[in-house]
Amino acid sequence: MRHSQAYYIRHGYGVFAIRNKREAKALYDFCAEQMVELFGRQPECQQPRLEIFKWTMDIYANNFMLEPDKMPTEPIKCHCGHCSGMYMPYDIWSYATDHAQFYWS
């Protein structure tokens, strides 16, 4: 049976980048599930991944759920140590591409 890319993202099969809103929503859902799972374990050991999941969800919400005039304008500072460190609060595409190795590792 063949599934959509969004199906694979929701079920933890890594892709390097999201291509559209449906795949971005699938990544949002995946991050939400992973945060619940990680909180059940030792959260202090999972801090960088939790932060990346949280920022992914926040950036998705800024991009697709907020009205344009209510969108934050302050850049997001990422502290994972493996990226450029600064992202616009609505740039889900760049953030997801730069952090792909964290989602499914």
Side-chain angles (χ1 to χ4, degrees), residues 55-56 58-63 66 71-76 86-92:
W55 280 127
T56 301
D58 288 351
I59 293 170
Y60 174 87
N62 292 343
N63 196 8
L66 292 180
M71 192 177 299
T73 56
E74 291 260 337
I76 291 172
M86 298 290 278
Y87 294 90
M88 294 310 293
Y90 51 81
D91 193 2
I92 186 71

Side-chain angles (χ1 to χ4, degrees), residues 7-48:
Y7 171 88
Y8 290 113
I9 293 169
R10 270 191 206 95
H11 291 88
Y13 296 97
V15 295
F16 190 72
I18 54 176
R19 300 174 295 188
N20 54 43
K21 183 178 178 180
R22 184 178 65 247
E23 291 176 7
K25 175 64 168 115
L27 181 60
Y28 177 93
D29 294 342
F30 175 79
C31 288
E33 290 173 14
Q34 290 300 303
M35 285 184 74
V36 169
E37 214 175 283
L38 290 176
F39 272 122
R41 300 182 201 157
Q42 298 171 337
E44 63 278 354
C45 297
Q46 304 292 337
Q47 195 58 38

Side-chain angles (χ1 to χ4, degrees), residues 69-90:
D69 60 332
K70 296 181 182 176
M71 192 177 299
T73 56
E74 291 260 337
I76 291 172
K77 296 175 186 170
C78 182
H79 304 292
C80 74
H82 298 282
C83 67
S84 65
M86 298 290 278
Y87 294 90
M88 294 310 293
Y90 51 81

